[in-house]
Amino acid sequence: MLVDSDMFTGTACSRMPTELLLEIFMLLTPYQRTLHACVLTSRRWNHVATPVLWKRPQFSRLSSVELFAASLLTAHRLISPHGERTSPYVRLIETLAFSSLPEPDRNNPHLATLLDTIVNCMAVVSMPTCDASAWDGAQTSALALKRSRSLSRNDDATRPHSAAALPLPEGTEPELSDKHAARSSSGSELLAPQTVDDTQLHYAALSAPVAEMSASAPCYEPSSHPVPAYTSTLRQLDLRFCKGVRNYSLQRLAPKLASLTVLNLAGGLRTDITIAKLAQHMFQLRRISLAWTSNLTDFGVSELVQRCKSVECLDLTYCTQIEDTAMFAIAHNLRNLCALSVAYCAGVTDIGVREVMSACPQLCVLNVAKCLRVTDRMRKSLEQQRIVAQCDSFEPFSIYNFAKKQQAVFPKPS
């Protein structure tokens, strides 16, 4: 137990242990006004309650989201005029949940703009490590090489400074390309020797160190711009039934959501392309819900599980287009899977269920409720393997909670 120096002096509030204060403030998380009042009580309470207040902001209406986004944007502009995140409050945000908003606010397109503002304020650009001088040199050499190539494609008539009239040394012959050599051997026409431009020679000489620059700066290709990577403290994002956040908005924000471990996109009309775009960046994802996504097919699920191999909980409840192809992709990629729900998926059969059951050793919950093509014999096989075959999956990630309880009672071998 942590003991403060002022525990035995002052008021009863100052004598309360820090652990108890933290537990009390955690219970006050749904009540933001009360928690904010605790922040303003004293310096000690402010030190303990501020991280709790900012860790999981609560939004009851769209106006509160607007106020939250405006405060972050103002602090971002005032404290970090050069675009670097220095606000201490931004570093405390770990969860953003918008599913508690009223339905008109969840379907408002303005919610996508506010989400974009919040995520941009939280995202920090982290460039790959590279020597700046080496990068500048590689860029200069690449520019010279590009210009020399463009000069070689120009006609001699457009270059009055060309050395076309310079005679060749005795005993030398011009080098011909394969195309010109073939035409010359056929005797169809005589070829004039290729002319060499002084400017072209100069830029060709400059392009020689490109290989050395590439070796000294392997993190970039000389002809390409650096691709920025983003880091953020955001770990959980809940957009359940938030149809105001369109698919193109999520695709644009995908690189800045790479730090997510929990993502809830249930009932948001997401498409296969959107899921594939998100999966390209979210390698740390552990739990994801795509329930009530009627547009999702086997292709989107396959793209997801092939890239996000650390997923432990996958909710596909009422994804009516899911079939055994997605089940095979899940079985071959998600070795750490402990909870899966394919309830109300009429395309799932015993073959797909058997493949997942045999390939995922940590599986504790495989919800096949209302799967008409899954037989009672297969359900009994799941029960014999101590795998829950039917449970309530209407609450977000309820199957994950069932899996943890099942693991506590019947631990799986590692």
Side-chain angles (χ1 to χ4, degrees):
M1 177 185 295
L2 298 177
V3 180
D4 296 334
S5 58
D6 59 346
M7 272 192 63
F8 302 101
T9 61
T11 62
C13 294
S14 63
R15 295 195 301 268
M16 184 175 295
T18 305
E19 290 86 349
L20 294 181
L21 281 176
L22 184 59
E23 290 294 332
I24 295 174
F25 294 153
M26 291 292 292
L27 296 176
L28 294 177
T29 301
Y31 310 99
Q32 297 283 285
R33 292 181 180 271
T34 305
L35 193 56
H36 184 260
C38 294
V39 170
L40 302 178
T41 300
S42 65
R43 292 184 178 180
R44 182 163 178 261
W45 281 31
N46 180 282
H47 180 73
V48 179
T50 298
V52 180
L53 178 64
W54 284 86
K55 182 178 181 179
R56 183 186 174 92
Q58 301 290 324
F59 306 110
S60 58
R61 54 190 181 276
L62 192 61
S63 58
S64 60
V65 183
E66 293 177 349
L67 183 60
F68 181 77
S71 61
L72 288 184
L73 187 60
T74 302
H76 187 74
R77 289 175 176 176
L78 294 178
I79 303 178
S80 56
H82 301 291
E84 299 178 357
R85 189 194 69 183
T86 56
S87 175
Y89 299 109
V90 174
R91 301 187 183 97
L92 302 176
I93 304 173
E94 296 183 4
T95 302
L96 289 176
F98 303 99
S99 58
S100 59
L101 295 174
E103 183 176 358
D105 292 343
R106 294 199 307 267
N107 298 337
N108 193 329
H110 187 47
L111 180 62
T113 305
L114 298 176
L115 177 63
D116 186 88
T117 301
I118 296 173
V119 172
N120 286 329
C121 290
M122 297 184 62
V124 178
V125 180
S126 58
M127 303 299 295
T129 57
C130 180
D131 187 5
S133 59
W135 167 249
D136 294 339
Q139 287 288 74
T140 304
S141 301
L143 180 61
L145 179 60
K146 183 178 180 181
R147 184 171 180 180
S148 66
R149 289 175 177 173
S150 64
L151 287 174
S152 64
R153 291 192 295 267
N154 294 335
D155 295 330
D156 294 336
T158 61
R159 291 179 291 166
H161 59 277
S162 63
L166 292 178
L168 293 175
E170 296 182 0
T172 60
E173 296 181 357
E175 295 182 0
L176 303 180
S177 62
D178 295 338
K179 180 179 179 181
H180 289 174
R183 295 172 60 186
S184 177
S185 61
S186 63
S188 60
E189 60 177 329
L190 295 176
L191 296 177
Q194 293 182 345
T195 58
V196 181
D197 187 2
D198 295 339
T199 308
Q200 180 178 348
L201 289 175
H202 174 67
Y203 283 106
L206 283 178
S207 63
V210 171
E212 298 180 3
M213 294 298 180
S214 301
S216 61
C219 56
Y220 297 121
E221 294 184 4
S223 60
S224 63
H225 294 285
V227 179
Y230 297 92
T231 59
S232 175
T233 57
L234 186 62
R235 295 294 180 265
Q236 300 184 25
L237 179 61
D238 186 0
L239 294 176
R240 183 164 38 115
F241 292 97
C242 294
K243 299 178 182 179
V245 181
R246 307 298 183 184
N247 288 323
Y248 64 85
S249 301
L250 280 178
Q251 295 178 27
R252 187 175 64 250
L253 288 176
K256 301 178 182 180
L257 299 176
S259 60
L260 287 180
T261 59
V262 179
L263 178 62
N264 193 343
L265 297 177
L269 301 178
R270 309 307 170 192
T271 61
D272 292 336
I273 301 301
T274 303
I275 301 303
K277 181 67 175 179
L278 292 172
Q280 292 178 2
H281 304 276
M282 299 182 181
F283 303 107
Q284 305 179 29
L285 204 60
R286 296 294 185 271
R287 287 179 284 168
I288 179 170
S289 175
L290 301 173
W292 294 284
T293 307
S294 58
N295 298 330
L296 187 66
T297 65
D298 294 341
F299 171 76
V301 177
S302 300
E303 288 293 315
L304 173 66
V305 299
Q306 287 175 10
R307 298 179 182 273
C308 306
K309 296 181 179 292
S310 300
V311 171
E312 300 176 354
C313 176
L314 178 58
D315 192 353
L316 300 176
T317 301
Y318 215 86
C319 295
T320 54
Q321 299 189 46
I322 297 300
E323 297 181 353
D324 286 339
T325 303
M327 299 293 285
F328 273 81
I330 293 172
H332 294 163
N333 292 279
L334 303 184
R335 300 298 180 181
N336 297 326
L337 186 67
C338 65
L340 172 64
S341 177
V342 289
Y344 299 91
C345 296
V348 176
T349 66
D350 289 356
I351 299 176
V353 173
R354 184 181 296 107
E355 188 70 18
V356 173
M357 180 181 63
S358 59
C360 301
Q362 303 298 323
L363 189 64
C364 294
V365 174
L366 179 51
N367 188 12
V368 292
K370 303 300 179 179
C371 292
L372 302 180
R373 300 176 66 182
V374 178
T375 61
D376 294 338
R377 183 177 179 180
M378 178 53 62
R379 299 175 192 271
K380 292 180 180 179
S381 299
L382 291 174
E383 294 176 357
Q384 291 175 0
Q385 297 293 329
R386 294 178 179 177
I387 299 176
V388 178
Q390 184 170 347
C391 62
D392 178 22
S393 59
F394 293 99
E395 292 297 326
F397 300 112
S398 58
I399 58 173
Y400 185 74
N401 299 329
F402 274 104
K404 291 304 179 182
K405 293 178 181 179
Q406 189 74 1
Q407 286 180 349
V409 178
F410 305 106
K412 295 284 184 176
S414 56

